[in-house]
Amino acid sequence: MIHGKYKETHPMAELISDQPGLLQLMARFGLPLGVGDKTVAQVCEEQGVDAFTFVTVANFIKQNARELPEELEQLSVNCLTDYLRRAHNYFLDFQLPAIRRKLLEALDCSRPDDVSYHILRYYDDYMEEVRKHMQHENKRVFAYVARLLQGEVSEDYSIERYARVHGSIDTKLQELKNIIIRYYAPSGRTELLHSVLFDIFTCENDLRLHCLVEDSIFVPAVRILEARVRVDGAQPAAAAVSAATPDSNLSEREREVLHCVVCGMSNKEIAGKLFISLNTVLTHRKNIARKLGIHSVAGLTIYAVANHLVDIEQIKK
Ligand SMILES: [Fe+2]
Ligand SMILES: [Fe+2]
């Protein structure tokens, strides 16, 4: 058993024994089994996978998404996108169809007026919804990120646009599970029905974590990438257009606090300058981090420079 967070120096085999769910994580990062005594760093390096990104996602899952990851500016967005794309393939091509096959076997769907028939229709509608959600991410969002990785800033899209509308996709599955548990009286195929319910529980949790990885790791990492590309001056016109969007959620006071933070001021200095209490400064900082999904001063600095909230000369070296 591994106490505390996973590290790149831990043997990969120990991570899997600690949490078998990491087998899926390995597959989605394109990491094979047969790891012997190799460390996480060695296994990742052999496959050209960024070990820091793998460990960050592994820890997020280990903590059941309770703790937001730090040092997001070090993540490999390329690696994260590959991971999410493989997860989509897994859900759409394997997990969801497998549950459907089991449902079909466990429920008696021969009569259209029977509740079983409606349960299956509900599930089919749900599968279609998930397919649309993931295909949109594959075609629109990941394609945008791929262009960003080439140093191209799009004028008609930003990760904020995705973040604003991105919702969870596990709710209907949760509802379906509750309908079956509460209102479906099986006629003899109990073991099979229990087995499919267990699969639905697992899939629901897997989808929940998948969406949380997108919201809490992928989106903030892409935000930092966007800011970097703009700082590099790839496309000044695009930068000007996009500058108004990301910080539009910050209040006037939060922008003032952000300005002070990236200028290298301590919380006490900020409180003195803005005539507010230390606790208020801390609350503003927490809200800024939550709204932007950026927790480090380095990340906030990139964000502030990219969005013209501070002059480069004002930032302490
Ligand atoms: Fe997704
Ligand atoms: Fe999603």
Side-chain angles (χ1 to χ4, degrees), residues 57-70:
V57 179
N59 279 318
F60 186 70
I61 289 170
K62 178 182 170 123
Q63 292 154 346
N64 202 14
R66 278 188 296 267
E67 203 178 302
L68 285 177
E70 291 171 348

Side-chain angles (χ1 to χ4, degrees), residues 50-76:
D50 181 67
F52 179 80
T53 306
F54 175 83
V55 168
T56 300
V57 179
N59 279 318
F60 186 70
I61 289 170
K62 178 182 170 123
Q63 292 154 346
N64 202 14
R66 278 188 296 267
E67 203 178 302
L68 285 177
E70 291 171 348
E71 301 179 271
L72 291 170
E73 63 278 5
Q74 287 184 41
L75 290 169
S76 159

Side-chain angles (χ1 to χ4, degrees), residues 18 25 33 50 75-76 80 95 113 120 123 136 152 169 183 186 243 248 252:
D18 187 61
L25 192 71
L33 287 175
D50 181 67
L75 290 169
S76 159
L80 260 181
Q95 180 71 316
D113 58 337
L120 198 67
Y123 184 78
H136 170 75
E152 219 183 287
I169 42 173
Y183 306 113
S248 55
E252 192 55 40

Side-chain angles (χ1 to χ4, degrees), residues 84 88 133-134 137 142 162 166 169 210-211 214:
L84 292 171
H88 290 173
H133 178 111
M134 293 183 173
E137 286 171 350
F142 297 166
Y162 165 70
H166 185 237
I169 42 173
H210 173 82
C211 285
E214 287 172 336

Side-chain angles (χ1 to χ4, degrees), residues 20-276:
L22 290 189
L23 279 170
Q24 280 181 339
L25 192 71
M26 282 184 72
R28 291 173 196 175
F29 269 94
L31 300 173
L33 287 175
V35 293
D37 295 325
K38 289 175 202 156
T39 63
V40 172
Q42 286 168 330
V43 175
C44 287
E45 198 190 339
E46 279 175 9
Q47 301 301 320
V49 170
D50 181 67
F52 179 80
T53 306
F54 175 83
V55 168
T56 300
V57 179
N59 279 318
F60 186 70
I61 289 170
K62 178 182 170 123
Q63 292 154 346
N64 202 14
R66 278 188 296 267
E67 203 178 302
L68 285 177
E70 291 171 348
E71 301 179 271
L72 291 170
E73 63 278 5
Q74 287 184 41
L75 290 169
S76 159
V77 173
N78 192 23
C79 199
L80 260 181
T81 312
D82 281 350
Y83 156 76
L84 292 171
R85 202 188 288 276
R86 281 200 191 92
H88 290 173
N89 292 343
Y90 171 81
F91 286 121
L92 296 178
D93 301 338
F94 177 74
Q95 180 71 316
L96 293 173
I99 289 178
R100 191 186 191 278
R101 282 195 297 276
K102 262 192 173 176
L103 267 178
L104 204 56
E105 228 185 308
L107 307 172
D108 178 9
C109 301
S110 55
R111 294 199 332 263
D113 58 337
D114 196 84
V115 67
S116 312
Y117 175 83
H118 293 282
I119 287 174
L120 198 67
R121 276 195 59 179
Y122 184 102
Y123 184 78
D124 284 345
D125 289 346
Y126 170 70
M127 263 178 78
E128 192 47 35
E129 201 180 292
V130 176
R131 183 172 304 281
K132 278 187 188 155
H133 178 111
M134 293 183 173
Q135 278 178 348
H136 170 75
E137 286 171 350
N138 287 349
K139 288 182 183 163
R140 186 74 173 103
V141 187
F142 297 166
Y144 164 73
V145 171
R147 287 198 301 277
L148 206 56
L149 285 164
Q150 301 294 319
E152 219 183 287
V153 181
S154 171
E155 288 187 43
D156 63 345
Y157 198 75
S158 76
I159 202 65
E160 288 307 315
R161 224 171 114 177
Y162 165 70
R164 270 201 295 271
V165 296
H166 185 237
S168 59
I169 42 173
D170 58 300
T171 325
K172 268 199 174 169
L173 206 54
Q174 206 177 336
E175 197 172 273
L176 176 70
K177 181 192 71 192
N178 288 334
I179 290 170
I180 298 176
I181 293 170
R182 286 165 191 262
Y183 306 113
Y184 187 74
S187 52
R189 296 168 179 167
T190 320
E191 285 88 358
L192 205 53
L193 192 65
H194 286 188
S195 168
V196 75
L197 273 174
F198 186 80
D199 290 350
I200 293 175
F201 267 103
T202 312
C203 186
E204 179 195 323
N205 190 46
D206 204 3
L207 280 167
R208 181 182 65 85
L209 287 169
H210 173 82
C211 285
L212 286 171
V213 167
E214 287 172 336
D215 290 336
S216 308
I217 302 181
F218 175 69
V219 167
V222 175
R223 245 183 223 133
I224 293 172
L225 175 67
E226 276 178 341
R228 271 186 194 143
V229 173
R230 286 178 199 138
V231 167
D232 288 346
Q235 298 204 2
V241 170
S242 315
T245 314
D247 73 310
S248 55
N249 288 330
L250 293 186
S251 68
E252 192 55 40
R253 186 56 107 190
E254 284 163 355
R255 277 201 288 274
E256 285 173 348
V257 172
L258 175 65
H259 184 273
C260 294
V261 170
V262 301
C263 286
M265 291 171 73
S266 68
N267 289 336
K268 210 172 149 192
E269 287 170 330
I270 298 171
K273 184 179 174 188
L274 301 179
F275 302 106
I276 53 178

